[in-house]
Amino acid sequence: MSHGDRIETMPDGFERLAVSPNSPYAAMGDLKRAYFGVQFHPEVRHTPGGLELLRRFVVDICGCEPTWTAESIIEQSVERIRAQVGNERVLVGVSGGVDSSVAAALVFRAIGDQLVAVFVDNGLLRKDERLQVEQAFTQNLGVELITIDAIEEFMDELEGVTDPEKKRKVIGRTFIRVFEQAALNAGNPGFLVQGTIYPDVIESSAPDRNKGHVIKSHHNVGGLPEDLSFQLVEPLRYLFKDEVRAVGEALGLPVELVWRQPFPGPGLAVRCLGDLTMQRLATLRAADAIFTAELEKEGLLGKRRKADDPGIAQAFAVLLPVKSVGVMGDVRTYQEAVALRAVATDDFMTADWARLPYDLLGRVANRIVNEVPGINRVTYDITSKPPATIEWE
């Protein structure tokens, strides 16, 4: 256990079932009433046997039936979506990421051609992402897709903004304004679909789950303006990433879409630390593309290879707001640094840093400093979540 919370005295009727160096009562139980408590997180992948502990408690002790399946989630979600929107037209904001794609497919299953998908190019995308998103939606989903070029609008709003929380709020507000204009052009639908998932809700300390601290305001939760003119449709709001992918597969989405690299709603804005300029974004985009290409070449990205190996769930580059001295071709340089981040996780609530081969890291670093102007130093982030988050901002 990585924190100092502990119980010093058990309630009456309980007995100690487990102990750890940090906690005199790591687990306790009232065996007569079948009440149990633990001082650790059985739900995280770092806990050996944790999922079996939960299964035994829920199914064997509490007598629940395991009906929470991808198929049941789809069936219940379709009913809720139809009840919420009726016969009205609905907009969905898509980014090409797993969450928004599965949300769009789920709503399309429910209401068909009442749905219109809007993809906003905000200038904060990865290399060739706009083309990839357009192809994915037209070829795989059959949903009407409208692409909006809002690069200038977003960059104007983000000029001089360096605080990560403010970045997220500016992006969330600007997204909504862009969608409001798109809604006018599409007949003014009253509903907006978002790919919000449960980790977004928890980390943003949303009103329905506000007992914890705000870790970061996800643009689609804490970054929304108060005068929102849409009713939100969020069919994935209480699902974790592994559940979202299971739903996507059950909906028949292709593997390359369901297991696509996750990408935050604010895009490269939260990976380009400090000032956001077109030049710095281009630098980051180039470094990120090299890292991803080398991982793909080694077969390290995408769907897990075996049951106990989650693979690399997410990998990306971060451009740091610091410069360091270097030497290239016997000439002194003073240029920016890039951090590489690769993690293994199932639910994205906790994550471990990926143990990449040294020769792979060396090859990536060598390519970046030689092929991307303005970078002379590459580092690798070996921090797990917690204490770090997966994204840097």
Side-chain angles (χ1 to χ4, degrees):
M1 289 176 283
S2 59
H3 53 65
D5 294 345
R6 57 192 288 166
I7 292 173
E8 298 288 349
T9 305
M10 292 186 297
D12 292 339
F14 281 80
E15 61 182 85
R16 180 166 59 187
L17 302 179
V19 63
S20 80
N22 288 345
S23 178
Y25 304 108
M28 64 182 183
D30 181 329
L31 303 186
K32 291 182 179 180
R33 294 184 294 172
Y35 288 180
F36 299 92
V38 295
Q39 185 60 48
F40 56 91
H41 290 271
E43 75 277 11
V44 303
R45 65 183 298 269
H46 295 145
T47 300
L51 293 183
E52 174 58 22
L53 188 155
L54 286 175
R55 188 209 63 78
R56 173 163 167 71
F57 176 72
V58 173
V59 177
D60 297 344
I61 296 175
C62 297
C64 297
E65 295 184 10
T67 58
W68 185 248
T69 64
E71 290 73 18
S72 71
I73 292 171
I74 292 171
E75 182 179 343
Q76 294 170 23
S77 297
V78 166
E79 291 179 2
R80 284 196 297 267
I81 292 165
R82 288 173 178 169
Q84 181 181 3
V85 307
N87 296 320
E88 291 198 36
R89 296 267 282 171
V90 178
L91 282 180
V92 56
V94 299
S95 65
V98 179
D99 305 330
S100 64
S101 297
V102 173
L106 193 50
V107 175
F108 188 63
R109 170 73 66 90
I111 62 173
D113 59 10
Q114 290 173 234
L115 180 67
V116 178
V118 176
F119 171 61
V120 177
D121 184 350
N122 56 9
L124 305 171
L125 305 176
R126 293 169 289 194
K127 185 178 180 182
D128 300 328
E129 189 142 33
R130 176 170 174 169
L131 177 61
Q132 294 168 5
V133 170
E134 290 174 336
Q135 289 178 342
F137 269 79
T138 55
Q139 295 174 8
N140 297 312
L141 293 180
V143 181
E144 178 186 353
L145 180 67
I146 299 171
T147 300
I148 299 175
D149 189 327
I151 296 175
E152 185 175 345
E153 183 173 352
F154 274 85
M155 293 306 295
D156 286 347
E157 291 291 328
L158 289 165
E159 184 177 1
V161 178
T162 59
D163 178 78
E165 276 293 287
K166 189 172 182 182
K167 280 182 185 177
R168 289 174 174 272
K169 286 180 166 56
V170 167
I171 291 169
R173 182 179 67 245
T174 308
F175 257 118
I176 292 300
R177 298 307 175 223
V178 170
F179 277 112
E180 286 174 340
Q181 185 58 51
L184 289 174
N185 298 336
N188 206 28
F191 295 92
L192 174 65
V193 179
Q194 293 200 132
T196 306
I197 64 174
Y198 199 38
D200 301 342
V201 176
I202 295 172
E203 292 183 339
S204 299
S205 190
D208 52 341
R209 291 292 187 275
N210 62 357
K211 299 303 181 184
H213 291 282
V214 175
I215 306 302
K216 53 187 177 184
S217 295
H218 289 263
H219 79 289
N220 54 345
V221 183
L224 296 176
E226 293 182 2
D227 59 340
L228 188 65
S229 61
F230 297 102
Q231 289 188 49
L232 295 181
V233 180
E234 297 176 315
L236 312 178
R237 187 176 180 86
Y238 298 117
L239 301 185
F240 290 100
K241 184 75 74 175
D242 53 329
E243 295 171 318
V244 172
R245 286 192 163 124
V247 168
E249 290 180 330
L251 286 167
L253 296 180
V255 170
E256 60 270 18
L257 192 58
V258 175
W259 289 88
R260 195 166 184 264
Q261 274 283 286
F263 193 53
L268 296 182
V270 293
R271 296 178 181 174
C272 185
L273 279 55
D275 288 328
L276 292 173
T277 66
M278 295 299 286
Q279 180 57 55
R280 295 192 77 229
L281 288 168
T283 298
L284 174 57
R285 200 172 282 120
D288 183 77
I290 289 173
F291 187 31
T292 301
E294 290 294 337
L295 289 171
E296 288 178 341
K297 189 186 300 182
E298 295 293 327
L300 294 174
L301 287 182
K303 192 171 182 178
R304 68 181 65 194
R305 295 177 291 283
K306 53 185 179 180
D308 60 348
D309 177 12
I312 296 177
Q314 193 167 0
F316 53 90
V318 179
L319 186 61
L320 306 181
V322 295
K323 291 185 177 182
S324 66
V325 174
V327 56
M328 299 179 71
D330 296 327
V331 175
R332 178 188 184 274
T333 61
Y334 188 58
Q335 297 176 332
E336 292 187 296
V338 158
L340 305 178
R341 179 79 158 143
V343 298
T345 182
D346 285 317
D347 56 18
F348 285 77
M349 285 301 296
T350 63
D352 201 8
W353 61 279
R355 273 64 170 175
L356 298 180
Y358 289 156
D359 59 343
L360 170 62
L361 289 171
R363 187 165 65 249
V364 172
N366 190 56
R367 282 195 60 190
I368 289 175
V369 296
N370 281 284
E371 298 177 26
V372 183
I375 296 177
N376 68 356
R377 192 175 298 272
V378 178
T379 67
Y380 187 54
D381 183 349
I382 58 170
T383 319
S384 295
K385 175 187 180 181
T389 55
I390 295 175
E391 298 289 344
W392 276 47
E393 289 191 339

